[in-house]
């Protein structure tokens, strides 16, 4: 049983930049990953709601920072997906700025969920984020999403391979299998989030090391 009732999660607001976000108080846990990696689906699975976060087959639908609230002060953040090949440079720069500013300067960010399609893990931008969270000591859970697309044997092999790749950072980064389709990893995700939300002794200063995604 998880401590918080994730099913009660409701939409709070959408913000085009960090300056449009509500006050920097409470605790936030953010979802980040390539577009189409399964962020919105994971959010829906976590909260047991079909349409809370829009899911789409067409990449690029979440261009805003979307905030959700489980209960007063306990928030979830769906960050804009990264890694679009075909968008104008100006837009890329804007996304880069939104993401990097959120990650660096949002004090109430307490934990990060990096989502990677199990078939294509550890792409360039994932690696940049991973080395940055490690340098800045931000608690992170990597979810290998859509694990239902591989056989049990293949998905476990992939899990072991990714764990091996990041073994030097395992004090701060955990890796788990996930599937929004058949609920693999939901309990691990909820338990991890519980532990981040309950750790209210945090004193989170700005993360000092800069992040550059493009
Ligand atoms: N088979 C399967 N497909 C998934 C899973 N999670 C997401 N998808 C599909 O992958 C696509 C992108 O998912 P979405 O959640 O919108 O990704 P986002 O862009 O990261 O928010 C959609 O077509 C989803 O239906 C999963 O666990 N299993
Ligand atoms: Mg999405």
């Amino acid at each position: 049983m998880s401590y918080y009732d994730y099913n009660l999660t409701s939409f709070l607001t959408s913000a085009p930049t960090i300056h449009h976000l509500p006050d920097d108080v409470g605790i936030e846990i953010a979802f980040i990953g390539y577009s189409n990696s399964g962020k919105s689906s994971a959010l829906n699975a976590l909260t047991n709601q079909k349409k809370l976060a829009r899911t789409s087959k067409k990449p690029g639908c979440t261009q805003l920072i979307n905030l959700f609230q489980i209960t007063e002060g306990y928030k979830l953040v769906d960050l804009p997906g990264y890694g679009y090949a075909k968008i104008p440079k100006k837009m890329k720069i804007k996304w880069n700025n939104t993401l990097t500013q959120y990650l660096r300067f949002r004090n109430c960010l307490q934990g990060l969920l990096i989502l990677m399609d199990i078939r294509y893990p550890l792409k360039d931008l994932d690696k940049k984020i991973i080395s940055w969270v490690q340098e800045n000591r931000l608690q992170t859970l990597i979810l290998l999403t859509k694990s239902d697309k591989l056989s049990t044997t293949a998905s476990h092999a992939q899990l072991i391979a990714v764990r091996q790749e990041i073994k030097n950072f395992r004090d701060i980064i955990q890796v788990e299998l996930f599937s929004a389709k058949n609920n693999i990893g939901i309990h691990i995700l909820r338990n991890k989030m519980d532990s981040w939300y309950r750790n209210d002794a945090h004193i989170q200063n700005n993360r000092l090391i800069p992040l550059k995604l493009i």
Side-chain angles (χ1 to χ4, degrees):
M1 266 293 280
S2 43
Y3 186 79
Y4 298 96
D5 190 351
Y6 293 95
N7 296 1
L8 295 180
T9 307
S10 59
F11 175 75
L12 204 58
T13 188
S14 288
T17 76
I18 64 163
H19 308 294
H20 297 81
L21 288 171
D23 289 350
D24 195 356
V25 294
I27 297 180
E28 288 175 3
I29 295 174
F31 287 74
I32 196 168
Y34 275 86
S35 103
N36 222 33
S37 61
K39 291 181 298 301
S40 300
S41 304
L43 221 143
N44 288 342
L46 167 77
T47 58
N48 209 10
Q49 298 184 39
K50 285 197 170 66
K51 287 184 189 157
L52 184 63
R54 258 191 307 163
T55 62
S56 167
K57 287 203 192 302
K58 205 179 85 203
C61 274
T62 323
Q63 301 178 6
L64 302 164
I65 302 174
N66 292 310
L67 264 88
F68 303 87
Q69 179 163 279
I70 296 143
T71 180
E72 178 90 41
Y74 296 86
K75 292 169 283 177
L76 272 166
V77 182
D78 189 10
L79 291 170
Y82 44 70
Y84 300 99
K86 287 186 194 125
I87 61 153
K89 183 137 192 247
K90 240 180 151 173
M91 228 173 176
K92 256 191 193 166
I93 292 169
K94 191 191 164 282
W95 275 333
N96 176 67
N97 292 347
T98 303
L99 278 181
T100 57
Q101 285 177 13
Y102 176 83
L103 290 173
R104 280 195 68 199
F105 302 118
R106 189 72 172 165
N107 273 316
C108 66
L109 174 64
Q110 183 68 8
L112 190 64
L113 302 164
I114 304 180
L115 278 70
M116 311 191 299
D117 187 320
I118 191 162
R119 296 163 300 171
Y120 322 105
L122 298 169
K123 293 203 269 192
D124 281 358
L125 293 172
D126 297 323
K127 286 184 178 164
K128 282 188 186 171
I129 303 266
I130 287 167
S131 80
W132 179 84
V133 295
Q134 185 270 124
E135 289 169 327
N136 286 280
R137 314 305 296 157
L138 177 63
Q139 291 288 337
T140 297
L141 173 62
I142 294 179
L143 296 176
L144 301 178
T145 62
K146 312 187 194 182
S147 62
D148 58 276
K149 296 225 185 216
L150 297 182
S151 68
T152 310
T153 314
S155 59
H156 279 88
Q158 196 70 314
L159 175 64
I160 287 164
V162 174
R163 282 182 176 163
Q164 179 64 23
E165 281 276 324
I166 60 123
K167 67 175 187 301
N168 295 337
F169 315 143
R170 69 177 165 216
D171 58 329
I172 201 99
I173 308 175
Q174 186 179 332
V175 188
E176 300 293 345
L177 296 176
F178 191 84
S179 164
K181 195 171 170 192
N182 57 19
N183 284 352
I184 293 171
I186 294 270
H187 291 297
I188 291 177
L189 172 60
R190 287 184 176 164
N191 287 338
K192 193 76 192 172
M193 293 180 61
D194 279 2
S195 76
W196 288 339
Y197 282 136
R198 298 189 77 177
N199 177 20
D200 55 10
H202 69 289
I203 305 163
Q204 193 99 69
N205 294 314
N206 287 345
R207 287 159 282 269
L208 296 174
I209 299 169
L211 170 67
K212 201 168 180 329
L213 296 174
I214 54 169

